[in-house]
Amino acid sequence: MPATVPVYEPLSPGDPPAIGGYRILARVGAGGMGRVYLAATQSGRKLAVKVVRAEFAEDPEFRRRFQQEIAAAQRVQSHRTAPVVDADADAPQPWLATAHVPGPSLAQTVVELGPLPEDSVRAVCAGVAEALVAVHAAGVVHRDLKPSNVLLAPDGPRVIDFGIARAADTTPLTRTGMRIGSPQYMAPEQALGRSATPAIDVFALAGVVLFAATGRTPFGDGPAEAVLFRIVHGEPDLEGCPESLRGLLERCLNKDPGERPSPREILDELGEDAGRTGADWLPEDVTRRLPAYSADPPRPMGPPTSGPGFDPVAPAAPPAPAPAAPSGTAIRVLLLALAAAAVVIVVLGVTLVALRPWESGGGSGGAARGDRNPAGGTPAPATAETSGPAMRGAPGGTQAASPDATSAPGGVGGELGKYTGINLTSGYAISFTEDPKHPKPNAGGDFDASYDGSYLYGDQIAVLPPGVAGTYEACRDETRYTGMLDSEFLIKGKKICVTTGSGLVGLLEITGTGTEPKSYLTFDLTVWQGVPPTPGE
């Protein structure tokens, strides 16, 4: 991949222009606790800013524990971690900023390019163990160590997100079944709900190292409950593990936390050479990608005056020259053209009234389109040209005709289209206005909802409570929004509202899913015209 190819997601209209005084440049990704942005200080130093999901922000206990974990994380000092630079637990949506690490995650690298060679795997093992030495010395337990929390920088691995998962443990969301953490990397004592000690990070380290070497986890994949059962009662599968690391990983995966080695003991066993990293510590196909993570993300097109992409120090574009005053001849030609257009409009209007008298509004206020003709006839059926988003550019004939679609044509709350049996495959996305029946690959385009097999993404997503009818009013009044929804909520029967940055409101009624991991979602979709955002917001 050339270094000029952007590796970060572009900002959407719903993203903030700045957080805590740091200018937002691009999206990095999203996780169970929030969304991560690439940001910059006034001096140009890049940061990674994580904004906590609104659901957690509503819980005072979460805010209190989040502040405690931030204070603990700021004590961690190691070259193998991304230090916490700033944070605000009292913001409307709490956030924290860490130093930017210019490299991909271990998870992304292995999924896209395959397992790492043995020397790189040993460097990952040593680097993560070194990070854990500092994390544990500060009195912090990571609790969510996994390949996506290990970044591959040019000079070695970095561990991120240490300690923050603990703040979510007692929130209403986690008490009602939402899980923070990846089951494949949980220790047996975590799976059983026992107290977390530094030994759980050592157990997770072994899973991370095996993944780096093989692309697999020690206890397999599948439903979370099945994976956790195997972690508690089964034996790890270390097939493909380098022989030089096999014995060490077996001890790290011991069911008894007291029998696992400490991070310092892991470093001693690996030896000094394992922790030495230079410019060639990664294979060439990974190294070629690294410059893209240091490059500035592309600026949005156009000259915004606020919102994402606005740069207050950028030079203003020169004013456009004033148009020349029209001549007398030009004015006469314009008046003649307007007069001719008026004649055409009058003729068309008379013709339409004659052809469709039930829409003329004559007499005592004729019936609106879609109502029965008072004279006993019926209106013409809705077509692809007169109903749903097809009238705004979508291919015709993909949505079911809706008798309510014209109850408020073009107005707030008016139904724009209804679609049934949409299959949204992992890695695909849909636009509410461009043929939703045929999702397109999610290649960073302008989509309203996207799915990656684990999360559903959108500008504003909310789950309607059980028993609430799926109406525009219900979606409009639901205020518990998030930018992404975990797969645990994407089950048959759920009604999910997605509000776009342009004001459209979509209701996804889940009718089925693929196998675990959920390879696709099947749902019915209704789209309404909502309230467009205020310019500049």
Side-chain angles (χ1 to χ4, degrees):
M1 183 180 73
T4 55
V5 175
V7 294
Y8 300 113
E9 302 175 40
L11 294 172
S12 70
D15 290 322
I19 297 173
Y22 303 117
R23 184 161 55 95
I24 302 302
L25 304 176
R27 288 184 176 189
V28 176
M33 287 186 62
R35 183 171 294 281
V36 183
Y37 294 98
L38 179 67
T41 65
Q42 289 184 346
S43 64
R45 179 187 179 188
K46 290 180 182 176
L47 304 173
V49 178
K50 171 171 280 191
V51 181
V52 173
R53 292 170 56 177
E55 297 94 317
F56 290 112
E58 296 173 356
D59 182 42
E61 177 62 16
F62 169 83
R63 288 180 178 272
R64 185 185 68 82
R65 297 186 69 169
F66 186 65
Q67 182 63 65
Q68 291 178 343
E69 295 305 314
I70 290 171
Q74 287 175 324
R75 297 197 299 267
V76 177
Q77 299 294 327
S78 172
H79 180 60
R80 296 299 176 204
T81 64
V84 175
V85 175
D86 196 1
D88 187 355
D90 298 321
Q93 280 189 257
W95 57 269
L96 79 157
T98 63
H100 169 59
V101 178
S105 71
L106 176 62
Q108 176 188 353
T109 301
V110 172
V111 167
E112 295 181 359
L113 301 176
L116 299 179
E118 183 173 347
D119 287 347
S120 298
V121 172
R122 290 177 63 86
V124 167
C125 185
V128 174
E130 185 179 344
L132 291 180
V133 169
V135 169
H136 295 167
V140 178
V141 179
H142 193 297
R143 303 170 70 93
D144 193 20
L145 184 61
K146 55 189 177 183
S148 59
N149 281 335
V150 177
L151 303 184
L152 306 182
D155 59 348
R158 299 284 195 283
V159 174
I160 62 172
D161 278 2
F162 39 87
I164 305 303
R166 180 176 180 270
D169 278 355
T170 60
T171 65
L173 281 174
T174 51
R175 287 196 299 266
T176 55
M178 180 178 178
R179 180 182 293 108
I180 298 297
S182 298
Q184 292 89 343
Y185 301 95
M186 286 185 175
E189 56 269 34
Q190 274 182 294
L192 295 171
R194 296 171 183 167
S195 59
T197 68
I200 70 171
D201 292 341
V202 173
F203 191 95
L205 167 62
V208 168
V209 173
L210 183 69
F211 178 83
T214 67
R216 298 183 298 100
T217 57
F219 297 92
D221 295 312
E225 294 75 11
V227 173
L228 294 174
F229 180 86
R230 293 194 291 268
I231 287 174
V232 175
H233 301 287
E235 294 300 321
D237 177 8
L238 299 181
E239 183 69 27
C241 175
E243 285 301 321
S244 64
L245 293 171
R246 190 182 186 96
L248 176 61
L249 297 193
E250 286 177 344
R251 295 196 300 279
C252 291
L253 293 170
N254 196 300
K255 307 293 185 189
D256 183 355
E259 295 298 320
R260 297 172 201 154
S262 69
R264 175 59 65 187
E265 290 170 339
I266 294 173
L267 286 173
D268 291 341
E269 183 165 337
L270 289 173
E272 294 182 0
D273 291 341
R276 292 177 180 172
T277 53
D280 59 348
W281 83 277
L282 289 168
E284 185 179 354
D285 55 350
V286 180
T287 303
R288 284 197 302 266
R289 295 187 171 205
L290 296 182
Y293 289 86
S294 299
D296 291 331
R299 291 175 179 267
M301 299 297 291
T305 57
S306 65
F310 173 57
D311 187 349
V313 300
S327 65
T329 300
I331 293 175
R332 286 193 295 272
V333 172
L334 177 61
L335 291 175
L336 288 173
L338 290 174
V343 172
V344 173
I345 292 172
V346 170
V347 172
L348 287 175
V350 172
T351 301
L352 288 173
V353 169
L355 290 176
R356 306 183 72 174
W358 58 81
E359 292 186 2
S360 65
S364 58
R369 179 164 64 90
D371 292 340
R372 184 169 295 277
N373 181 4
T378 56
T383 67
E385 288 77 23
T386 60
S387 70
M391 62 190 298
R392 290 176 286 139
T398 61
Q399 75 276 8
S402 171
D404 297 326
T406 55
S407 59
V412 174
E415 186 179 297
L416 300 177
K418 185 172 288 186
Y419 310 80
T420 59
I422 295 177
N423 288 313
L424 184 58
T425 304
S426 175
Y428 279 67
I430 61 172
S431 168
F432 291 166
T433 60
E434 297 179 3
D435 192 11
K437 286 285 285 187
H438 299 89
K440 297 178 175 60
N442 185 13
D446 185 16
F447 297 115
D448 295 323
S450 62
Y451 181 56
D452 68 358
S454 298
Y455 297 99
L456 179 72
Y457 298 93
D459 287 336
Q460 289 185 327
I461 302 178
V463 179
L464 293 181
V468 174
T471 63
Y472 167 75
E473 289 74 19
C475 288
R476 176 198 62 193
D477 295 340
E478 181 57 70
T479 59
R480 295 172 296 177
Y481 285 118
T482 181
M484 48 85 73
L485 199 62
D486 189 275
S487 61
E488 294 183 9
F489 294 91
L490 304 177
I491 58 178
K492 184 176 180 181
K494 286 291 187 182
K495 298 175 183 177
I496 300 169
C497 301
V498 180
T499 303
T500 73
S502 62
L504 297 181
V505 177
L507 175 71
L508 283 64
E509 300 182 75
I510 307 294
T511 58
T513 63
T515 56
E516 293 286 352
K518 295 176 180 175
S519 55
Y520 65 87
L521 296 177
T522 300
F523 55 87
D524 298 337
L525 171 68
T526 305
V527 181
W528 295 280
Q529 177 62 60
V531 179
T534 302
E537 287 189 346

